[in-house]
Amino acid sequence: MMDPTTDNAGNAGDPGSARASLEALRAEIAKAVVGQDPAVTGLVVALLCRGHVLLEGVPGVAKTLLVRALASALELETKRVQFTPDLMPSDITGSLVYDTRTAEFSFQPGPVFTNLLLADEINRTPPKTQSSLLEAMEERQVTVDGTARPLPEPFLVAATQNPVEYEGTYPLPEAQLDRFLLKLTIPLPARQDEIDVLTRHAAGFDPRDLRAAGVRPVAGPADLEAARAAVTKTTVSPEITAYVVDICRATRESPSLALGVSPRGATALLATARAWAWLTGRDYVIPDDVKALALPTLRHRVQLRPEAEMEGVTADSVINAILAHVPVPR
């Protein structure tokens, strides 16, 4: 792993240097966030695939800090929106404002015009406001008063939701859930990790001051572009493509599921597997890459039958059972 303090500006655009820079993210973010390597990897995979992430976890497990640390380590702009029941679409996208000096309307950009948008507790705002993100997530633009305005590149929405408290919330519709490339669960930390967190705070760690924690940029937009170009050259054999299709088709035939994975979900699984293969140093995809990304890519794209849910069946358990039964290509 490279030294995080090394300047890579001279090598920007080189796939090998880009991979080393992105690998250094884990060590850099670990200066602020303890024990969340899978979530960090998931966010990097989403950036490589130009996708978005739904982060699910109880309050206090560093979801906001994770996104802020990632933005600092990647030298990207980030903004946070606290979703509330009275939040309006224009509070996210921006609106036309009348300028008394020029007697004209001018566009005032909303917080969506950033690289990493943290949509905090997205399920606490009504569907009308939730849907205002759909165009931004899918088309990477915002249309106000008939004019389409492109968003910065790269652009990623990291939305959070609380898996425990549902009172006063508006569950995300299936159409919007399907727009998220990955759903990452942020667990409570292990005992030793929690001890490390408290030890840091006792030593003066301030989560609002990442610079003081030593978090420095180790990669940038040029590295991301080089990495994205390299990912598109990662080889996928016909057998791997068929394996992805078989997994997704099996979800549509599962007796525990009312809704299986759509072709869009199959495309997403193939894309995330390619990104993971490249990150691990290969230029071709193997079945283990597909298995590694199956849960975060598919768990939010299926819907359990009520009777299965009452029996304690979960989306993860259904997908794991399917992975265990679908024949693996050799």
Side-chain angles (χ1 to χ4, degrees):
M1 185 175 290
M2 61 166 281
D3 177 358
T5 61
T6 301
D7 184 4
N8 276 330
N11 295 325
D14 174 61
S17 173
R19 184 188 288 115
S21 298
L22 294 178
E23 286 175 353
L25 282 175
R26 294 181 185 178
E28 201 65 18
I29 293 173
K31 295 177 181 178
V33 183
V34 177
Q36 296 293 359
D37 276 0
V40 173
T41 301
L43 286 165
V44 173
V45 166
L47 281 167
L48 291 178
C49 298
R50 292 183 169 86
H52 309 284
V53 175
L54 183 61
L55 299 170
E56 187 172 87
V58 298
V61 290
K63 298 186 293 294
T64 301
L65 181 60
L66 175 63
V67 175
R68 289 180 53 240
L70 177 69
S72 293
L74 278 173
E75 208 168 11
L76 299 175
E77 182 187 27
T78 182
K79 293 179 182 176
R80 175 179 176 271
V81 178
Q82 181 65 51
F83 279 64
T84 56
D86 60 348
L87 194 72
M88 299 297 291
S90 58
D91 294 329
I92 300 171
T93 61
S95 59
L96 294 176
V97 177
Y98 184 72
D99 189 337
T100 55
R101 293 173 300 176
T102 61
E104 294 180 349
F105 284 93
S106 60
F107 178 66
Q108 183 66 38
V112 74
F113 286 86
T114 188
N115 297 123
L116 270 66
L117 176 67
L118 178 62
D120 218 351
E121 295 190 290
I122 190 173
N123 56 338
R124 289 206 171 276
T125 200
K128 180 179 180 180
T129 305
Q130 290 176 3
S131 64
S132 66
L133 275 177
L134 279 177
E135 181 188 15
M137 293 169 67
E138 189 69 19
E139 306 296 335
R140 300 181 180 273
Q141 65 178 27
V142 167
T143 302
V144 176
D145 195 37
T147 301
R149 295 173 171 85
L151 294 172
E153 185 62 38
F155 173 69
L156 178 143
V157 174
T160 72
Q161 64 179 16
N162 183 343
V164 178
E165 187 181 358
Y166 289 106
E167 185 177 349
T169 64
Y170 303 83
L172 293 174
E174 296 301 325
Q176 184 154 358
L177 277 173
D178 206 33
R179 294 316 197 274
F180 286 99
L181 181 72
L182 300 172
K183 179 181 178 182
L184 304 175
T185 56
I186 311 296
L188 289 166
R191 181 176 182 273
Q192 187 56 53
D193 288 340
E194 195 163 1
I195 290 174
D196 291 345
V197 170
L198 268 62
T199 301
R200 290 185 181 192
H201 279 266
F205 171 70
D206 183 357
R208 291 173 292 274
D209 189 355
L210 294 177
R211 286 288 179 181
V215 178
R216 298 288 184 269
V218 294
D223 295 303
L224 275 177
E225 279 305 310
R228 287 171 171 177
V231 168
T232 61
K233 297 175 183 175
T234 303
T235 304
V236 181
S237 68
E239 292 78 14
I240 292 294
T241 302
Y243 182 51
V244 170
V245 169
D246 289 343
I247 290 171
C248 295
R249 290 181 68 86
T251 65
R252 302 168 203 163
E253 299 166 1
S254 171
S256 298
L257 298 179
L259 178 68
V261 177
S262 69
R264 179 188 290 155
T267 302
L269 180 54
L270 187 62
T272 56
R274 291 178 85 184
W276 175 243
W278 181 82
L279 275 174
T280 52
R282 279 179 284 102
D283 60 358
Y284 57 92
V285 180
I286 61 175
D288 282 349
D289 299 324
V290 178
K291 290 181 177 181
L293 273 297
L295 281 180
T297 308
L298 303 181
R299 59 164 59 111
H300 57 297
R301 303 175 192 271
V302 300
Q303 190 176 83
L304 289 167
R305 293 188 184 276
E307 56 269 28
E309 204 164 1
M310 290 176 63
E311 293 172 2
V313 176
T314 65
D316 283 15
S317 65
V318 173
I319 294 170
N320 278 326
I322 287 171
L323 291 174
H325 284 91
V326 172
V328 179
R330 298 186 182 278

